[in-house]
Amino acid sequence: MKTIGFIGLGLIGGSIAKTIRKFHPDYHILAYAKHKETLAAALNCGAIDATLEERDDRYAMCDYIFLCAPVEYNIEYLRYLKDVIKEGCIITDAGSVKGPIHKAVEELGMEYCFIGGHPMAGSERSGFEYSSDHLLENAYYILTPSANVSREKVEAYKTFVSSLKALPIELDYHQHDMLTGTISHLPHIIASNLVNFVKKTDTDDELMKMLAAGGFKDITRIASSSPIMWQQICLKNKEPISKILGGFIDSLSETKKLIDQSSERELYCMFESSRDYRNS
């Protein structure tokens, strides 16, 4: 039987805990969360076995510790956990930005015990109440092992992730931040800007808001996500996002040129290419 510790039980942390409970009912799951209501809900639904304090000797019992709080808090907990964890414990996280925490791990000399993690699953909703035991199913789960963590530990963690019915894939953390900056962070920025653009340019009687139909709703669904989370992602992954955003702005400028020049063939090819790639 393994003991699993959680720091943070939001949408992702809660979903991982519920999934572990589903597939490993004998595992002992402990958790700390900032809000007592979250811990009470997790206890009541059976997702965890016991609650932890922010600083707690029972972290020394854990075989895995999941850091599922915002990045800056995860880094603070790393500093505490360094002198608490037992030999063989693996610390992982669930954040969508890897650079800052890997740099902290290196500075703290904790590369031997850290494997970054990022399940490519989520929702525009946030909080434990929206977590589920099927969110990870068939989702890619990116692992970003530290330089000095043993292959034995990495392979064991891959096996553990696979047992949760997720699909582990190993990446360098720099590559992770560029990839997620393009396929995850950029779409949220686009959705937010599109919603704000409509808000600013709408008629006085809000006709745009009233008439917005399926296409607008589909492309802007993720604009309903947590503002503080996406503020932090933009600040923590600033350089890759800025570079990616610059490239996308150039792409929009090229599209504007095609429209201004009535470039029939090029416009058709643009929509055809995007359709085919999306359908693939």
Side-chain angles (χ1 to χ4, degrees):
M1 182 186 77
K2 291 188 181 297
T3 298
I4 314 292
F6 280 87
I7 295 176
L9 276 181
L11 173 72
I12 299 299
S15 294
I16 296 172
K18 288 179 178 179
T19 306
I20 293 172
R21 171 66 74 227
K22 179 179 179 180
F23 292 109
H24 301 284
D26 58 324
Y27 283 14
H28 193 55
I29 303 176
L30 311 172
Y32 165 75
K34 186 177 180 180
H35 300 293
K36 300 300 182 185
E37 299 84 1
T38 298
L39 292 173
L43 279 171
N44 289 338
C45 74
I48 65 174
D49 296 294
T51 63
L52 294 169
E53 299 297 326
E54 187 173 10
R55 300 286 187 266
D56 199 306
D57 292 340
R58 287 172 292 170
Y59 287 115
M61 300 166 52
C62 297
D63 298 286
Y64 287 102
I65 298 175
F66 285 84
L67 301 176
C68 301
V71 174
E72 63 269 24
Y73 294 117
N74 287 341
I75 291 171
E76 287 300 315
Y77 290 122
L78 273 178
R79 295 189 176 100
Y80 166 71
L81 292 170
K82 179 180 179 180
D83 299 319
V84 175
I85 60 172
K86 68 179 182 180
E87 184 177 353
C89 174
I90 285 295
I91 300 176
T92 186
D93 73 329
S96 68
V97 180
K98 287 287 170 274
I101 195 163
H102 270 276
K103 288 171 185 171
V105 165
E106 292 165 12
E107 290 169 2
L108 290 166
M110 297 178 70
E111 291 179 285
Y112 68 95
C113 67
F114 184 79
I115 301 174
H118 179 202
M120 297 298 288
S123 166
E124 72 275 17
R125 307 290 187 181
S126 59
F128 180 80
E129 62 267 36
Y130 296 106
S131 62
S132 74
D133 62 9
H134 60 265
L135 189 70
L136 304 182
E137 188 174 351
N138 294 322
Y140 284 107
Y141 199 119
I142 300 175
L143 308 183
T144 58
S146 294
N148 296 332
V149 71
S150 72
R151 286 311 306 174
E152 181 183 2
K153 288 179 179 178
V154 174
E155 293 304 321
Y157 189 43
K158 280 185 177 178
T159 300
F160 179 47
V161 168
S162 296
S163 76
L164 305 180
K165 307 306 178 188
L167 308 171
I169 180 170
E170 192 173 332
L171 295 176
D172 172 81
Y173 76 85
H174 300 286
Q175 186 183 27
H176 167 277
D177 285 357
M178 286 301 296
L179 291 174
T180 56
T182 305
I183 62 174
S184 177
H185 307 164
L186 179 63
H188 278 81
I189 293 168
I190 293 169
S192 179
N193 274 270
L194 179 55
V195 171
N196 285 331
F197 180 76
V198 168
K199 179 183 176 183
K200 290 173 185 174
T201 58
D202 204 353
T203 59
D204 290 340
D205 52 356
E206 296 189 324
L207 274 173
M208 289 187 194
K209 182 178 179 182
M210 183 180 74
L211 296 174
F216 182 80
K217 291 177 182 177
D218 287 344
I219 200 172
T220 61
R221 174 185 60 82
I222 51 178
S224 295
S225 299
S226 164
I228 190 169
M229 180 177 77
W230 284 100
Q231 174 208 50
Q232 289 301 305
I233 285 171
C234 285
L235 294 174
K236 299 300 181 183
N237 202 28
K238 180 172 68 173
E239 291 180 10
I241 288 175
S242 179
K243 182 177 180 180
I244 293 159
L245 196 54
F248 184 71
I249 290 168
D250 290 342
S251 179
L252 285 178
S253 296
E254 286 300 312
T255 301
K256 182 180 182 299
K257 282 184 188 177
L258 296 181
I259 294 169
D260 290 342
Q261 295 167 2
S262 299
S263 303
E264 294 182 20
R265 185 177 180 280
E266 289 81 0
L267 284 167
Y268 177 85
C269 288
M270 182 190 76
F271 288 115
E272 180 185 45
S273 173
S274 65
R275 178 201 64 189
D276 292 347
Y277 189 68
R278 173 68 173 80
N279 289 343
S280 73

